[in-house]
Amino acid sequence: MVAPVFDSGSFRDPDGHVFFYENEIYRTLTTDAVHRMERLLKLSFVKKSIIEGRIIDTKILEATKIFPKDFLVTEYVLWHEKIPYVTYPFEWTFSMLKDAAYLMLDLLSGLLENNFILKDGTAWNICFYNGKPCFYDILSIDTYVEGQPWEGFSQFLQEFLYPLMIQSYQGIDFQPLWRSTLAGIPAKLCYKSLSRSSLFKKGVFKYVYLQEKLSSNKTISEATLKHEFTHNAFSKKALTNLIKNLRLCLETLTVKSDQSVWKNYDSKNSYEEQDVKEKEKFVVEGLKALNPLSVMDLGCNTGRYSLIAADIAPVISCDLDPTCVDQIYLKKNSKILPVVLNLMTPTSSMGWHLNERKDIFTRVKSDSFMALALMHHLCISHNVPLSHFILLLRSIASKGIVEWVDKSDPMVQFLLRNRKDIFKEYTWENFQHLIREHFHIEKTLPLNNGVRQIMLLSEKKN
Amino acid sequence: MNVLMYCLPLMATSTPCCAYLDAGSSSMLLQLLFGGVAGGLVFLKIYFRRLVSFFKAKK
């Protein structure tokens, strides 16, 4: 008997579970689900969405034709195209979450026209692939029965609309709040976070205030409402209008452009124009020499070097500032995956049994890194020892590009302006010594009269 | 009419019940309210039922 390896996060839907076999991704299917999926995958709307990359490519396969004898799975399975990196909703930016919300509503609306509906309204069913959102939980598409409500409505509000509202109206980054619940932002938290004047903004009274008041009302929450939807014929038109109004509400949500201190960093740093050109040349030549399969750009800021790297290999652009990362996303480069990531608190394993949601470094792997103008933020602002910083780089990849930022650099001086200099080991000599323990230094280029040094690192062979 | 529908829930007294707090019922009712007249009727029905059960319990 051969047992498939199931994904520890795929247990909620009794209709089927994700499993892995020979580097491919499959999903088990109950008999009912097989018929439903057959009808679904024949729809021209679904076929078109798959071609456009809005739904993940999926096929129904007969288990006996692909798996060994005695392989313990259902008679039919779904095959899914493999997504290289899955990022979670709290690692997305405002525009990413908003685009994912649009996708959700577009799919719901298109499915309704074909008498299908989404079982839920969760952002966990979406990932970012080729620079745009892609829906991948095909099994959460169900047959629509006239009169039924959308059971994912409150989930949609919590996971999409409320986070976007508090970001748009109050300038509060939604990511840490979203991460703390793993289910978005509750109506009460959203309501309490909004100012009184926000009550008059589009959708706030309808979707936040009413939802909060109704959900905290004992009589309402105890009521059995299921049968009312058939008796009172909650029409498909009403549901379509609901989707249309949610879309109109989303369209009014925008972010203020002055929210980030890092956004203008690229134009306000300690670099001279000539040094910038030399640095860019070094990055291009260095990456070409490393010949990476992918590059993880740590502390990417607004993505100047991510964009350069994307001409050579796919890039995972990480930064703790959502506004900066949003600017990269808005450039819509299909080779760049933007990720909101704070290296001091990277996403750990979470959810059920600490196994449902995976840590960031398990999900997002790369064979090279770029750590440009990053180390002083970690080593000076957060007291991370140089050796720890280098170990982090080595755990990510065996090759890459790193930039040394000396204490005499104006940006480091700025960080040290109001604090005691306790960083005796933060020296260029010590850094070189420590880096040689884990990497081979291919070449070094001094910049800004040696205040900064950029290094090309390859794998150290013993 | 729609304004009236949206105002109906505000007449309800808010009594939180935490252990079984469920956003499902409220979001279903919200959808009914957005759906039109029927939603308002359902809302009144819920409170009427509660009133009836209150008097029944008194007997």
Side-chain angles (χ1 to χ4, degrees):
Chain A
M1 294 276 189
V2 189
V5 179
F6 281 98
D7 177 18
S8 55
S10 174
F11 60 85
R12 288 174 195 257
D13 189 349
D15 276 350
H17 309 286
V18 172
F19 66 94
F20 310 99
Y21 179 73
E22 290 191 339
N23 217 20
E24 296 280 348
I25 296 180
Y26 302 92
R27 206 185 277 260
T28 57
L29 282 179
T30 59
T31 317
D32 284 350
V34 175
H35 298 309
R36 193 171 84 231
M37 290 299 109
E38 275 173 348
R39 282 193 296 122
L40 181 78
L41 292 171
K42 278 180 193 157
L43 295 178
S44 59
F45 169 73
V46 172
K47 283 180 185 167
K48 190 168 167 262
S49 300
I50 289 176
I51 292 166
E52 289 169 351
R54 290 156 73 83
I55 295 181
I56 196 73
D57 194 7
T58 301
K59 289 179 181 69
I60 300 178
L61 301 172
E62 210 174 324
T64 51
K65 288 188 179 164
I66 33 174
F67 305 119
K69 220 179 171 185
D70 299 334
F71 196 66
L72 292 171
V73 283
T74 46
E75 193 182 351
Y76 287 90
V77 296
L78 283 184
W79 166 89
H80 293 303
E81 184 185 355
K82 202 171 177 183
I83 302 150
Y85 311 108
V86 174
T87 53
Y88 293 159
F90 50 85
E91 293 161 347
W92 302 345
T93 66
F94 179 87
S95 303
M96 291 169 89
L97 189 67
K98 194 173 166 184
D99 281 357
Y102 281 138
L103 172 66
M104 202 78 177
L105 295 179
D106 289 349
L107 288 183
L108 183 59
S109 163
L111 288 168
L112 271 175
E113 283 173 23
N114 293 285
N115 290 323
F116 279 94
I117 193 169
L118 294 172
K119 281 183 197 170
D120 44 34
T122 178
W124 290 106
N125 291 345
I126 292 174
C127 66
F128 277 80
Y129 186 28
N130 290 329
K132 54 189 180 188
C134 175
F135 184 87
Y136 66 86
D137 189 8
I138 308 277
L139 259 192
S140 70
I141 300 172
D142 207 354
T143 308
Y144 171 73
V145 179
E146 183 70 33
Q148 77 170 105
W150 179 30
E151 288 189 23
F153 178 56
S154 64
Q155 213 172 20
F156 181 86
L157 297 180
Q158 288 190 25
E159 298 192 15
F160 293 99
L161 195 68
Y162 298 161
L164 293 171
M165 274 181 169
I166 64 160
Q167 179 97 59
S168 177
Y169 295 150
Q170 300 302 121
I172 301 171
D173 288 336
F174 67 80
Q175 292 84 356
L177 298 168
W178 214 114
R179 173 170 158 170
S180 67
T181 63
L182 295 183
I185 292 172
K188 189 172 187 172
L189 180 57
C190 179
Y191 174 60
K192 298 279 181 190
S193 307
L194 294 174
S195 63
R196 278 175 188 270
S197 60
S198 302
L199 258 182
F200 300 102
K201 289 186 172 153
K202 196 169 177 68
V204 174
F205 180 76
K206 264 166 85 175
Y207 301 121
V208 185
Y209 183 77
L210 284 186
Q211 174 75 359
E212 208 293 291
K213 291 293 163 198
L214 291 176
S215 62
S216 59
N217 184 283
K218 194 168 183 282
T219 309
I220 303 293
S221 58
E222 280 177 359
T224 309
L225 293 166
K226 225 169 183 176
H227 59 279
E228 302 294 351
F229 281 85
T230 41
H231 293 167
N232 290 288
F234 178 70
S235 65
K236 194 193 271 189
K237 198 180 162 214
L239 200 48
T240 312
N241 278 339
L242 180 84
I243 299 164
K244 209 165 80 185
N245 286 327
L246 280 171
R247 210 173 202 289
L248 288 173
C249 182
L250 279 177
E251 280 167 11
T252 60
L253 299 173
T254 50
V255 266
K256 289 173 196 144
S257 57
D258 59 346
Q259 275 178 16
S260 169
V261 282
W262 300 105
K263 196 170 61 73
N264 298 321
Y265 180 85
D266 206 35
S267 52
K268 285 182 189 169
N269 54 37
S270 53
Y271 271 113
E272 299 294 331
E273 190 57 33
Q274 184 55 33
D275 285 312
V276 174
K277 278 183 186 157
E278 280 189 43
K279 188 173 167 181
E280 283 180 358
K281 193 167 165 253
F282 187 94
V283 168
V284 172
E285 287 173 0
L287 285 179
K288 278 182 181 165
L290 293 178
N291 194 22
L293 295 171
S294 63
V295 186
M296 197 171 200
D297 186 1
L298 302 159
C300 62
N301 197 253
T302 49
R304 182 180 195 130
Y305 296 96
S306 288
L307 285 164
I308 293 171
D311 288 336
I312 298 160
V315 182
I316 304 131
S317 301
C318 313
D319 201 284
L320 61 82
D321 190 299
T323 313
C324 284
V325 183
D326 206 37
Q327 287 197 19
I328 305 173
Y329 174 69
L330 291 172
K331 289 184 179 115
K332 303 274 174 187
N333 187 316
S334 63
K335 286 183 81 183
I336 294 180
L337 175 72
V339 185
V340 178
L341 168 69
N342 182 348
L343 285 170
M344 296 309 296
T345 56
T347 311
S348 54
S349 299
M350 289 185 284
W352 178 253
H353 214 197
L354 289 179
N355 219 356
E356 187 182 2
R357 311 294 177 199
K358 317 283 183 296
D359 72 89
I360 181 83
F361 296 120
T362 302
R363 282 175 288 127
V364 181
K365 286 183 174 162
S366 177
D367 69 338
S368 74
F369 58 80
M370 285 200 298
L372 306 174
L374 169 73
M375 59 185 301
H376 55 306
H377 295 295
L378 299 173
C379 300
I380 304 286
S381 299
H382 294 285
N383 294 19
V384 174
L386 279 180
S387 56
H388 287 47
F389 171 70
I390 293 164
L391 272 176
L392 174 84
L393 295 182
R394 184 61 191 85
S395 71
I396 289 169
S398 61
K399 57 188 180 184
I401 299 173
V402 67
E403 183 179 2
W404 162 257
V405 186
D406 199 75
K407 258 190 213 169
S408 56
D409 184 274
M411 305 313 274
V412 180
Q413 285 298 310
F414 180 76
L415 294 175
L416 284 170
R417 72 197 182 285
N418 289 326
R419 59 180 301 193
K420 194 178 166 190
D421 183 356
I422 54 165
F423 309 100
K424 302 292 173 230
E425 53 103 48
Y426 191 91
T427 65
W428 170 229
E429 290 70 29
N430 193 28
F431 181 67
Q432 288 179 92
H433 166 71
L434 291 168
I435 213 118
R436 280 196 190 100
E437 287 180 11
H438 300 281
F439 297 96
H440 171 71
I441 302 172
E442 289 285 339
K443 59 177 175 174
T444 304
L445 175 74
L447 297 164
N448 280 19
N449 302 317
V451 168
R452 294 193 175 204
Q453 304 269 356
I454 188 164
M455 290 172 127
L456 181 65
L457 308 172
S458 64
E459 190 172 357
K460 186 182 176 183
K461 297 198 170 77
N462 292 320
Chain B
M1 190 62 191
N2 254 350
V3 176
L4 182 66
M5 289 302 153
Y6 294 161
C7 289
L8 277 169
L10 306 181
M11 288 149 60
T13 49
S14 181
T15 334
C17 61
C18 296
Y20 290 94
L21 196 77
D22 161 35
S25 303
S26 57
S27 87
M28 279 172 110
L29 184 60
L30 211 56
Q31 286 180 71
L32 276 176
L33 284 171
F34 296 158
V37 185
L41 294 177
V42 172
F43 190 85
L44 291 174
K45 212 159 100 182
I46 293 167
Y47 272 87
F48 182 69
R49 270 197 222 129
R50 192 172 162 82
L51 201 70
V52 169
S53 63
F54 175 75
F55 283 111
K56 269 188 184 167
K58 282 230 159 179
K59 280 180 186 176

